[in-house]
Amino acid sequence: MIRTLFSSRSRKVYDFHGGIHPPERKALSNGTAIVPGPMPAQLILPLNMHIGAPAKPLVEPGERVLKGQMIAEPSGAVSAAIHAPTSGTVSAIGPRAIQHPSGMDAICIVIDTDGKDEWIEHAGVADYTERSPGELVDTIRHSGIAGMGGAGFPTSIKVNLGDHQRVEELVINAVECEPYITADDRLMRERADEIIAGINILQYLLNPRRTLIGIEDNKPEAISIIKRACKGCDIDVRVVPTKYPSGGEKQLIQLLTGKEVKSGQLPAQVGVVCQNVGTAYAIKRAVIDGEPLLSRVTTLTGEGVSQPGNMEVLLGTPVRDLLLHGGVDPDNIGRLVMGGPMMGFTLHNPAVPVVKTTNCIIAATLEELPEPPPEQPCIRCGSCADVCPANLLPQQLYWHAKNDDLDKAQHHNLMDCIECGACAYVCPSHIPLVQYYRYAKAEVRQQAAEQVKADKARQRFEARQARIEAEKAEKEARRQARLEANRKKKVETSAPSVDTAALKQASLEASKAYKAAVKAAKAAEAEGAANINELKAEVDRLKAEADKAKAAVRDAKDAGPAAAPTEDRVGNLKKQVGEASTAYKAAVKAAKAAEENGDDNAADLRAKADELKASADKLKAELRDAKASAPATTAAAPQADPVADLKKQVGDASSAYKAAVKAAKEAEENGADNAAELRSQADELKAKADQLKADLRDAKANAPATPTPAPAAAPADPLAELKKKVGEVSSAYKAAVKAAKEADENGADNAAELRAEADRLKAEADHWKAELREAKASAPAPATPKTPPAPTDTPKAPETEAPQALKAVDPEVAAKRQKRLKALKTAYNMAHKQYKEAHAALERGERNGDIPAEELNAMERKVDKLKGKADVARDALDALVEEAKADIRAHTGKDLKTLKLEAARAESALADKQRELEQQRDNASEVNLEALSSELQALEAEAQIARMALKQAVEEQGLQD
């Protein structure tokens, strides 16, 4: 009858491979009209009820919303908006159970409804052809429309293909092939005109060559009504045979057009766009009526439902409210399914909400949908391959998925599986094939995401290594050029000079000869020798020569730069110290690498590193002795100042203590034998520094007051002088740090000396900062000048005021530390990932028992080695973070936790004062309001200062991430 009725409009219908004919069970719900769903007390709206990025909330808890108001906006190209289905108050934004087979939680917006159903102002477009396609696409995107057939792909993406893609066929999916579901059937029977209006909008947007509607022949009423609604339209209604899964996108395209969408292709690549009838209906309501997607038609069916049928349900309605509204007896439900019996999933929590893709809820009895029988071994019958609509090999996919052989599963086109369940339906062994495929797909996606991360990390690492090598080559070239220039300069500027060392040696030898002659003369006189007079004459002659040699030495010293040999010795020692230190660092690095890799020569390398360290320490001691014995270059020493001397000693002791702490830390990290000795030495230096600080305080207290000259115009401001001093010393310290870094990078001979000078300047800067803090604390409060009344508007808190200790931030230091932190994080993540993968492989091998014992032992060694590597990277990362925190504490006088607490307390006090002002605004007097405003202004300034102090401290140490 159907074939005769539509013979005038019928066209050729093709076929696809496989398919099954399960019991339809549609008569339970397709005989009654669509009725309104319940108005629940609470709506739960997940932010990810569509494919793509979750929406971004636009509301806060406690905010009242109206029906149709956008409460979450799209957060990416593939995303969709969410609107309030009715009026009410947002009570929470947080994790709730959502529509997922695992029952997982996700972020949801929870609205407590008020029953008023108040709309926002809204209006549609009477003539959509007056709008450009881009404007209509934007309307669809911000109306939150996603595929209503079950996939949930944002519609705005599918209707915005661009000029380069020509659409040959627009296919409207009205098949609804899965058993039980009748939502689209009732929608076509009751709202056909609105569906056709939505299809016309799709035609305007896509401009297809032809438009096809595919309907299964088990819906004669819907076919008749749609046919009448299509009169006068260029829409072709095609009736297809009832076969599951005819409603699959690729299967329907093949049925209606004969085109096959190949593996890895999208329908748009063969010139076809497919949309659901429910989606077309939602597009009409969004464009013409101005209503965003707030509800959908959902089938409530099953033998556990006393009144099965179709309801227009508000999005976010909990399933339990829908069941209660449909007269479902909870005691009579054996199984609750969201979706159809073939592609749906069991709900274990009825609090899950209805979302944009929820087309059916089945409340079935135990007899209707019994629990599946136990899984049996595969008998290789091949029935699954016969019914697969995607023309795959389900049996092979099953074996590969079960054995975690994902590469072979992908080789058999695992990702083309549409999870229709036809293979599991016909399997005589009752194997849950679809669950195996879903698991394998999830693993493939996870591995792909991890591979993308690993590739990015590898690219960053390779780029960094190339950059480091280029920098090393450039530095080496600069160093060689500098050495060559210095050699040329020495040759050009070399001139004859007095050899003070030779003069000293000659004076020493002359003195020795004189003393020997005196001794011989005394012995001859005692013995009464005959040549006593000759010996005395020789003594006088040698004494004259010795005096002459001493005079020559004094003249050479007074003549000026006569210490070239000494300077050459100091320079040579500096060079040797630099080379020895470089060799020691390289040896330590090689030893660490050998220990991480488990090499056999790790102990030898560590012993070699210790020998090089001892050699470097010996050379450093010789360098100190050479410097101490070198002649002074200053003309005259200043008058002794005990306080200044003590300050210098305190600075030197503090620098020595910090250097000792750093050396002890490195020794402990490297597992050196002298770590305890270095820690003990650091403790001794700390005690010495504390004693010197106590002596300095006593000296300051006992020092006589020094008269200061009378100022010319105004009395001197001690705070300003201290600030100036702090600025000068801080600038000098930064310049010294920069110079020391450049020297280290360039391999200069004076790098160690510059680093010591930087440490001394840092100690001096810390001292002056402490002086400034004490002066600020003891300074009297400045008199407040009379000012005109404050304006009514609260002035903005100053943005530049911050503690003096944080005024100077070295961006180069922060960037380098942040770069080191990122590098260490990447190294740790990669090492930890490798360890996890190796450990998982080992566990699988032990569990399966198919790997030889020798190979298992090798895998265990590899796991231990990778774990050690990950632990080393983690320890290095923790040490760097702790070093940054220690620097924050040394630089600001407070630790990071204290800075965070101060900022949080300031923000809390500011928020409390703002609430107090809002509460008192309508009732308090103007005087009280003025006082509250002043207090609020002060708290805003304090909060801003605390925020900036925390921000600058974090940025200075490179801890932004």
Side-chain angles (χ1 to χ4, degrees), residues 25 132 138 150 169 390 466 478 480 518 531 556 622 640 719 767 918:
R25 305 302 304 272
S132 67
D138 191 61
E169 289 95 6
R478 287 201 304 265
Q480 293 295 338
V518 169
N531 60 345
E622 291 180 8
L719 287 178
H767 163 69
E918 289 298 325

Side-chain angles (χ1 to χ4, degrees), residues 670-753:
N670 299 329
D673 298 333
N674 61 340
E677 183 181 350
L678 290 173
R679 176 59 66 183
S680 175
Q681 184 180 357
D683 295 337
E684 292 175 2
L685 289 171
K686 185 177 187 304
K688 181 180 177 182
D690 294 339
Q691 181 61 41
L692 287 170
K693 288 177 183 177
D695 295 341
L696 177 59
R697 286 193 294 271
D698 296 339
K700 284 182 179 179
N702 299 328
T706 55
T708 56
D717 184 3
L719 287 178
E721 292 294 328
L722 283 172
K723 288 180 181 179
K724 181 179 178 182
K725 183 66 176 176
V726 167
E728 292 173 352
V729 177
S730 298
S731 299
Y733 162 64
K734 289 181 181 176
V737 168
K738 188 173 181 181
K741 285 183 179 177
E742 291 178 352
D744 284 337
E745 293 172 355
N746 298 329
D749 297 335
N750 61 340
E753 186 176 351

Side-chain angles (χ1 to χ4, degrees), residues 926-941:
E926 185 150 350
V927 175
N928 290 340
L929 286 178
E930 225 175 274
L932 287 173
S933 297
S934 299
E935 293 174 4
L936 181 63
Q937 178 183 356
L939 287 173
E940 283 177 345

Side-chain angles (χ1 to χ4, degrees), residues 573-585 587-588 608-624 752:
L573 282 172
K574 285 180 180 178
K575 184 177 180 181
Q576 293 174 20
V577 166
E579 292 173 352
S581 298
T582 303
Y584 164 65
K585 291 178 182 177
V588 169
K608 183 179 179 182
D610 294 339
E611 291 176 2
L612 289 171
K613 186 178 187 305
S615 176
D617 293 340
K618 182 179 178 181
L619 288 171
K620 288 177 183 177
E622 291 180 8
L623 177 60
R624 286 194 295 270

Side-chain angles (χ1 to χ4, degrees), residues 71 73 90 171 186 288-289 334 384 570 698 710 897 918 940:
I71 57 176
E73 64 180 352
V90 177
V171 174
R186 292 306 313 183
I288 297 177
D289 300 334
C384 53
V570 171
D698 296 339
K897 183 177 180 181
E918 289 298 325
E940 283 177 345

